DNA sequence: ATTTTATTTGGAATCGATTCCAATTTTATA
DNA sequence: TATAAAATTGGAATCGATTCCAAATAAAAT
């Protein structure tokens, strides 16, 4: 590895002061064309790039061009979409993203994560911790502390006691519409699978689902909600119990899944049990993950516009970090869209905006 | 946002020198218990965390505890697995990962990406650019330049002219075994879909496939290879052409897909064309992506151990950055494993290590 | 040609940590 | 108790950039 070259080395070779080299690098106007050319030649010769650490330390900028993205797990397709879009948008604006994956287990303190963010003095943080992490008792305090050091935008429903920008979806209404959709297709016995009812975000989904059930006078078949009930496995288990422990008259004709992932597991189990989708059981997912169009049959689902929200979040953070009138914290609600495919029996590719 | 607090503020309030505060922070032994306690109390009071930028600048450490991860796209499940595992391993070692997603289009220069890495003076870089990016003419020079500034490990087959550590799989042998597997199940007419034959990494896969075809005296049905032939769409198109433009006797009875993603599209199209898997056509994928176990039927595929390689890469980088005898560049080959599921007609869940 | 003004340049201070060295205090030994 | 040795502490230099201020040079005006 070559010994690192600094602005002083460039200055020495060009026989000018370091300040002049800096002016060339920052495109400061007060440099004569002749000097600029001479210095630039040496910079090019060595492919010199100024150290971001040193720049970040310097008083007037105090920016390391970095946004922290807090997500549960990259391979969780929902989080992956957010990270992907956030990073692309950040790059477009000359920023980069530092990844903060939350430990999968319970044995961690959100304050440690927050400390790591603070230690780096980032330009902003994008929090999208998901349903499970939202239940941590230390979360609000930790996020509030984080906000004392950098702007924060959360892609999540509002968290009590946290006064940052929230970009979330009206999942309650969406779920209401999803049930309505199934109702119009003739379904009268429904089941909601995956997630746990007492959880905050799932709360909105469940609320919308139950409200629609009540308003339309439908039957809700209670179903088992596993521990970490957001995985394909929980979908498999739910279906297994739903169709093996009940008699014909108490089985749902349609399933509303907490997420596409849960729906995926459910469909696998339905297939094993020789129940056809949609003829025997209709199913609807949530997230519009890429694989939902490749299931057999293609899954009707709900698009949460996560990429769009990720881009909005990054823009907001970058604006704040560049000092432009820091908008007061706000909550933006976006109506998700029902993507009708074939898993509920309607053979249309059209998109209903709700 | 609170005004930032520094080591000097702590020192002033504790009525000690900044150097003493620093010694407390770095757990230097030469501090009396009394002073340490007094200073620590103030540090705790303000939740003070020293700035990483300042620490990184400092001569003796010169480390910002960051590994750069270069991948084509987070939502590509293969890359996502690598990023996820790399980040988890990095965190375990006290490091964090900075994301470098390659632009999806062709209009970029790898040197720009490399400059961004260099600018940050990272502790190491993990390159896993994939097949398409490997074809860029400027890649070897750019990676070599990068190596002058930080250790580099590539999760890819060796790239001509680049002298870094390579962690790759023996895809040629694996593909040979995959064809053998299909042969033993009675298949005699095969087709390889997805990817483009002239590409470097796909080269290994194609080589193994063709060698097995020849050795076993099988028939290779030539198939269309699309432009960006690594997507589900390319699988759909390939299947469409394969089964609509040929007569019965020239149709494959088994398909070897470049990746699970390609297989996913292929299965969708086969379903549309009312061809049953595995009764009418057998299919085998590659990557063991999580959804491959949820297709109908579950997809037989090849596990490339990407997580394991990502962890190895990060360990290697961290070791190098901590100055421990920088290992000479080496190439590690790992044999992938065939995961037999149901898409080729064998109803076993066992794992054959090759 | 000379003064005034504008442009260009160099030198020093700064950002927030760490570490070396010297000064000081404490403890151990004679 | 005096002296040597060890432990603790403060002050200054350093890392690699940027920017302010003053000095030097060039251009414009008288």
């Amino acid at each position: 590895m070559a010994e690192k070259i600094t602005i002083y080395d460039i200055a020495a070779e060009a026989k000018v002061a370091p300040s002049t080299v800096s002016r060339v690098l920052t495109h400061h106007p007060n440099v004569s064309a002749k000097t600029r050319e001479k210095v630039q030649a040496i910079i090019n010769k060595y492919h010199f790039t100024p150290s971001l650490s040193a720049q970040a330390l310097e008083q007037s900028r105090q920016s390391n061009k970095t946004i922290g993205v807090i997500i549960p797990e990259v391979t969780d397709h929902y989080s992956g979409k957010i990270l992907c879009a956030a990073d692309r948008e950040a790059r477009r604006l000359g920023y980069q993203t530092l990844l903060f994956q939350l430990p999968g287990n319970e044995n961690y303190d959100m304050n440690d994560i927050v400390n790591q963010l603070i230690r780096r003095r980032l330009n902003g943080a994008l929090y999208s911790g998901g349903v499970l992490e939202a239940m941590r008792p230390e979360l609000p305090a930790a996020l509030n502390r984080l906000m004392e050091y950098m702007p924060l935008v959360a892609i999540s429903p509002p968290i009590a006691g946290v006064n940052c920008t929230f970009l979330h979806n009206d999942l309650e209404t969406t779920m209401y519409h999803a049930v309505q959709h199934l109702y119009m297709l003739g379904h009268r016995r429904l089941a909601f699978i995956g997630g746990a009812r007492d959880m905050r975000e799932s709360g909105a989904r469940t609320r919308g689902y139950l409200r629609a059930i009540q308003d339309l006078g439908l039957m809700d078949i209670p179903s088992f909600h596993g521990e970490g009930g957001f995985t394909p496995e929980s979908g498999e288990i739910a279906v297994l119990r739903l169709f093996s422990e009940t008699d014909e008259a108490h089985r749902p004709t349609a399933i509303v899944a907490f997420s596409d992932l849960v729906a995926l597991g459910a469909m696998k189990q339905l297939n094993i049990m020789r129940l056809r989708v949609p003829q025997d059981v209709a199913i609807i997912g949530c997230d519009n993950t890429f694989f939902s169009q490749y299931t057999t049959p293609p899954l009707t689902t709900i698009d949460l516009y996560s990429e769009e929200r990720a881009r909005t979040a990054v823009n907001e953070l970058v604006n704040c970090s560049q000092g432009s009138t820091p908008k007061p914290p706000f909550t933006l609600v976006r109506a998700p869209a029902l993507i009708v495919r074939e898993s509920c029996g309607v053979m249309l590719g059209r998109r209903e905006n709700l």
Side-chain angles (χ1 to χ4, degrees), chain A residues 74-153:
Chain A
V74 172
T75 47
D76 153 24
H77 202 259
Y78 173 76
S79 302
K81 271 163 86 170
I82 288 176
L83 176 62
C84 180
D87 180 68
R88 292 230 178 276
E89 186 70 1
R91 298 202 97 68
R92 200 177 67 77
L93 301 168
Y95 285 66
Q96 277 150 263
T97 52
L98 194 67
L99 178 56
F100 289 84
Q101 276 189 115
L102 298 167
N105 56 52
E106 297 284 308
N107 309 320
Y108 76 99
D109 188 327
M110 186 58 78
N111 284 296
D112 297 336
I113 313 281
V114 163
N115 278 340
Q116 290 169 14
L117 273 292
I118 293 175
R119 183 154 102 101
R120 299 215 176 226
R121 315 280 137 98
L122 303 180
N123 292 117
L126 165 48
Y127 176 82
S128 176
V131 232
L132 286 170
E133 275 65 20
M135 304 196 64
R136 315 203 123 252
E138 81 273 19
L139 183 69
L143 290 184
N144 279 327
R145 196 157 62 75
L146 180 59
M147 280 204 300
E148 296 190 1
Y149 291 86
M150 63 190 75
L152 170 69
V153 172

Side-chain angles (χ1 to χ4, degrees), chain A residues 176-188 190 212 215-218 254:
Chain A
Y176 194 100
H177 284 269
V179 173
Q180 242 174 357
H181 177 69
L182 291 167
Y183 172 79
M184 290 188 290
L185 293 172
H187 294 281
R188 296 295 177 267
L190 276 60
D215 289 1
L216 300 169
L218 306 180

Side-chain angles (χ1 to χ4, degrees), chain A residues 300-311:
Chain A
T300 288
T301 186
I302 293 159
D303 192 339
L304 301 180
Y305 296 114
S306 14
E307 287 106 329
E308 188 185 306
R309 285 186 290 160
R311 280 190 294 268

Side-chain angles (χ1 to χ4, degrees), chain A residues 199-218:
Chain A
M199 288 190 174
R200 208 170 41 80
E201 177 159 24
S202 68
R205 306 188 194 201
T206 320
R207 234 179 1 258
Y209 167 83
L210 288 175
R211 197 155 56 77
I213 290 283
Q214 200 148 32
D215 289 1
L216 300 169
L218 306 180

Side-chain angles (χ1 to χ4, degrees), chain A residues 5 13 19 22 39 48 53 62-63 116 127 143 146 149 167 192 211 231 235 244 256 272-273 285 315 335:
Chain A
I5 184 166
E13 187 157 339
S19 46
S22 175
V39 172
F48 173 72
S53 292
Q62 297 271 42
S63 158
Q116 290 169 14
Y127 176 82
L143 290 184
L146 180 59
Y149 291 86
L167 306 175
F192 183 89
R211 197 155 56 77
T231 58
S244 66
V256 179
I272 290 173
M273 298 174 88
N315 270 296

